[in-house]
Amino acid sequence: MHASVGSGHRSAAKAVAQAFEMLAQEGDPLVPPDVEVEVLDVLDWGRVKFDGDKTASLFTGFTRPIYDLTWRYTFTGRLLWGGGTIWSRIMFPAFTEHVRKRAPLAVICTHITAANVAVGARMLSGQDWPIVCVPTDYETEGLWPHLHADLFCVASESMAETLRPRKVPEERIQITGIPTRDDFRRSYDQQQVREELGLPADKQVVLALAGAYLPRPYVRFRETLDKVLPYLHSFPNLHLAIVTGNDQDYARHLKSACEDLGIKNASVFGYVERMAALMAASDLVICKSGGLTVTECLCAQVPMVLLGKAYGQENINVRTLTASGAAMHATTARELVDTLRHVARNPQSARAMLINGSFLRRPDAARDIARAALRLAANPAPPGDAVRRKRFAHFYWGRKPAHIR
């Protein structure tokens, strides 16, 4: 289960679903022979329909600090949210009926709303199946159902340190990494991919990920790239490859700008199916600090420059990656140009990011999460387990937060 609030939660859910299917094809003994996998958007089951992507876009631009305040400080200190039936009773009775009929082996949630709705549905249906929570950033937000989930699959030890003061038992925390598609586990011949995609073999290829499912959060990112284009003349050994996704207007704008400026060392790509291969063919990636994007870069083993001011969970992602030396961060066009010059003059800095990124790189995350869910399903919770206790709303007092935000 995911929620259609941006593309990251959906991508993570599909990655885990793909892992189940591949494990079944490989004959993994944990996978039942008749397994069926559903990928559901929890917002499709709401009593009141609303567009999660459009709602997420409201917290961009001048409203982003409001979201930052909410994400970073609400329910992240001593007063904590444990879970309950409130979400399911009020908004999601249709999903409760769905699981009552389906009686799933397990439910894996890549968004807090999905996790809370699953907890409520399990309580109301009286069924017994494990709920696995998979945060898709490098910190755990405060509104996950901490005390009524069976397992948290998190990206790093730092995230585990956040859960422990929230009284999540050690046996319900597993450091798996953030799930990505199977093609990010593969190796690619860099020169062959470059030849197939028309990229130069003798230059440093810098990939800019400017395509987006939600274009509004990328407005400033694209404005910064536009300001960098004139400086490409000063990088004779660099080739900039810009991915615009399905935004044909933006692609035409870039091609026109490059033609007007006489820029020869740039390519514009639309929607890219083989993103893992394109990343592997690149020497550096310029991207926003979304959890799935940076995780895909880590798994593709390509250094990153995180571009733009970051808020909420993206702020935590920037801090985590830069503190570990796995990425660089630039907020303005001038900073980005300086960063590109630094990497061009000091290629060992890019190699250092790869080495440091190995501490966070977990390409088998989707498979590990799938196996963890199946192990839980094979070992039902004992009678009277507090995780299964029925509550309408559960607040509690936690220990001192491990990370003061």
Side-chain angles (χ1 to χ4, degrees):
M1 292 178 68
H2 65 91
S4 53
V5 183
S7 60
H9 307 289
R10 180 189 303 105
S11 296
K14 289 184 175 180
V16 178
Q18 181 190 46
F20 274 113
E21 292 164 355
M22 297 192 73
L23 290 173
Q25 293 171 6
E26 295 165 6
D28 190 293
L30 284 171
V31 185
D34 59 345
V35 68
E36 295 180 14
V37 182
E38 288 185 341
V39 179
L40 304 180
D41 179 356
V42 67
L43 299 185
D44 289 341
W45 300 85
R47 189 190 299 271
V48 178
K49 304 291 184 183
F50 70 97
D51 189 327
D53 291 327
K54 187 177 294 185
T55 302
S57 293
L58 295 176
F59 294 99
T60 59
F62 70 92
T63 60
R64 291 193 73 174
I66 301 173
Y67 175 72
D68 190 41
L69 181 67
T70 304
W71 196 92
R72 296 179 69 195
Y73 296 102
T74 302
F75 299 121
T76 59
R78 296 295 185 91
L79 179 63
L80 295 164
W81 167 247
T85 63
I86 180 172
W87 299 76
S88 293
R89 287 181 185 275
I90 297 172
M91 282 288 292
F92 295 95
F95 179 75
T96 299
E97 289 306 308
H98 180 68
V99 297
R100 200 189 304 274
K101 294 175 182 177
R102 293 290 282 167
L105 281 174
V107 177
I108 299 172
C109 304
T110 62
H111 189 271
I112 53 172
T113 303
N116 279 288
V117 169
V119 163
R122 184 175 63 183
M123 291 177 177
L124 293 171
S125 67
Q127 296 175 342
D128 186 13
W129 27 264
I131 295 170
V132 179
C133 297
V134 185
T136 57
D137 291 287
Y138 287 81
E139 185 55 288
T140 314
E141 193 192 351
L143 285 173
W144 286 93
H146 297 118
L147 300 187
H148 294 279
D150 296 86
L151 184 67
F152 277 86
C153 292
V154 296
S156 65
E157 178 61 33
S158 176
M159 295 177 72
E161 279 296 302
T162 298
L163 290 172
R164 290 179 186 116
R166 297 177 186 178
K167 299 184 179 180
V168 178
E170 196 69 36
E171 63 272 15
R172 291 178 180 157
I173 304 172
Q174 185 170 332
I175 300 172
T176 60
I178 295 172
T180 58
R181 299 190 311 274
D182 191 70
D183 48 347
F184 286 95
R185 300 174 63 245
R186 303 174 189 170
S187 298
Y188 298 89
D189 185 310
Q190 187 182 74
Q191 295 306 317
Q192 180 181 341
V193 175
R194 287 189 180 188
E195 183 177 347
E196 292 171 355
L197 296 176
L199 294 171
D202 58 345
K203 291 188 177 183
Q204 182 187 51
V205 174
V206 176
L207 176 64
L209 301 179
Y213 187 79
L214 297 177
R216 187 171 172 183
Y218 274 77
V219 169
R220 293 186 180 179
F221 184 97
R222 292 175 174 182
E223 288 175 350
T224 304
L225 279 184
D226 284 351
K227 294 176 183 177
V228 169
L229 290 178
Y231 291 91
L232 290 181
H233 292 292
S234 63
F235 291 93
N237 297 317
L238 180 148
H239 188 89
L240 182 64
I242 308 175
V243 175
T244 62
N246 291 319
D247 195 332
Q248 297 179 4
D249 290 338
Y250 181 56
R252 284 192 291 269
H253 160 76
L254 285 174
K255 290 176 182 178
S256 175
C258 289
E259 185 176 346
D260 292 344
L261 293 167
I263 295 169
K264 304 298 183 182
N265 56 334
S267 301
V268 178
F269 294 88
Y271 181 79
V272 176
E273 288 280 356
R274 301 174 60 201
M275 182 56 71
L278 179 55
M279 284 185 176
S282 305
D283 297 298
L284 186 71
V285 171
I286 302 169
C287 59
K288 282 175 90 296
S289 49
L292 258 292
T293 299
V294 300
T295 301
E296 289 172 351
C297 290
L298 288 170
C299 293
Q301 300 188 57
V302 58
M304 289 171 274
V305 177
L306 308 177
L307 179 60
K309 293 181 179 180
Y311 298 86
Q313 72 275 21
E314 292 190 2
N315 186 9
I316 302 298
N317 296 341
V318 169
R319 288 165 55 185
T320 298
L321 291 164
T322 56
S324 63
M328 296 180 179
H329 184 216
T331 57
T332 67
R334 288 188 179 185
E335 286 181 350
L336 179 57
V337 170
D338 285 344
T339 302
L340 292 176
R341 285 177 178 155
H342 170 79
V343 174
R345 294 168 183 167
N346 303 280
Q348 65 272 22
S349 62
R351 290 194 293 272
M353 282 191 276
L354 288 181
I355 294 170
N356 294 328
S358 66
F359 291 99
L360 293 170
R361 185 181 306 119
R362 294 178 181 272
D364 295 328
R367 288 168 171 254
D368 291 341
I369 292 166
R371 289 192 180 104
L374 290 168
R375 283 193 292 267
L376 285 171
N379 297 279
D385 187 357
V387 173
R388 304 295 195 272
R389 190 175 303 161
K390 188 174 180 180
R391 295 174 183 265
F392 179 72
H394 185 191
F395 296 90
Y396 67 103
W397 194 249
R399 295 189 290 269
K400 181 180 180 181
H403 306 132
I404 304 299
R405 300 182 184 180

